[in-house]
């Protein structure tokens, strides 16, 4: 499978792959564009997490993607914005030794907008 975050994978094809195949597809994409990131595998894993949620139809994630792209982010930028929220929530759960708070994740995604993402200075 060839992955492109600006188009997104076919939902059925994506879900038919196992996790290693999904991660490999994202890694190959980032190798093609010669991504220079601190931890390329972690970067790819965050992409895969968001793509999994989109393919599974997680309402808060699909709504955030739709809103962010309607506000002018391209799909790749929106994946990064959503991934930043997911990463922050995972970090808090691990740091505080508590379960992942899905309701808080949904609230944070609902509050996410393109303008605040652009101000954050993060880029794909």
């Amino acid at each position: 499978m060839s992955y492109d975050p600006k188009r997104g994978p076919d939902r059925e094809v994506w879900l038919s792959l196992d996790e290693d195949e999904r991660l490999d597809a994202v890694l190959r994409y980032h190798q093609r564009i010669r991504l220079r990131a601190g931890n390329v595998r972690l970067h790819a894993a965050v992409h895969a997490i968001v793509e999994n949620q989109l393919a599974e139809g997680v309402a808060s994630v699909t709504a955030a993607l739709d809103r962010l792209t309607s506000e002018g982010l391209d799909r790749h930028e929106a994946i990064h914005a959503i991934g930043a929220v997911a990463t922050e929530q995972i970090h808090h759960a691990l740091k505080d030794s508590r379960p992942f708070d899905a309701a808080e994740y949904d609230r944070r995604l609902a509050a996410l907008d393109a303008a605040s993402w652009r101000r954050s200075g993060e880029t794909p």
Side-chain angles (χ1 to χ4, degrees):
M1 163 184 195
S2 180
Y3 174 72
D4 181 349
K6 290 190 179 185
R7 285 194 338 258
D10 176 271
R11 178 187 171 280
E12 289 182 21
V13 172
W14 184 260
L15 292 175
S16 73
L17 301 174
D18 69 31
E19 289 296 322
D20 286 337
E21 292 171 313
R22 295 173 194 172
L23 186 59
D24 287 343
V26 177
L27 283 168
R28 283 191 307 274
Y29 167 79
H30 287 98
Q31 288 170 342
R32 282 193 309 274
I33 66 163
R34 294 187 172 104
L35 174 72
R36 304 245 189 268
N39 187 329
V40 177
R41 288 192 68 78
L42 178 59
H43 182 95
V46 173
H47 268 259
I49 288 168
V50 175
E51 294 291 3
N52 289 346
Q53 293 174 335
L54 290 167
E56 292 167 356
V58 175
S60 60
V61 179
T62 57
L65 180 73
D66 291 345
R67 185 179 58 262
L68 292 168
T69 56
S70 74
E71 293 174 354
L73 295 184
D74 70 27
R75 189 178 186 282
H76 192 186
E77 292 170 317
I79 295 294
H80 279 247
I82 295 165
V85 173
T87 301
E88 181 179 43
Q89 294 305 303
I90 291 166
H91 172 77
H92 288 306
L94 293 172
K95 183 182 84 158
D96 300 337
S97 299
R98 61 175 171 80
F100 182 84
D101 187 340
E104 178 63 16
Y105 180 51
D106 292 347
R107 283 190 293 278
R108 295 292 311 267
L109 288 174
L112 182 62
D113 62 30
S116 64
W117 172 248
R118 286 185 182 111
R119 282 191 305 272
S120 75
E122 297 190 42
T123 59

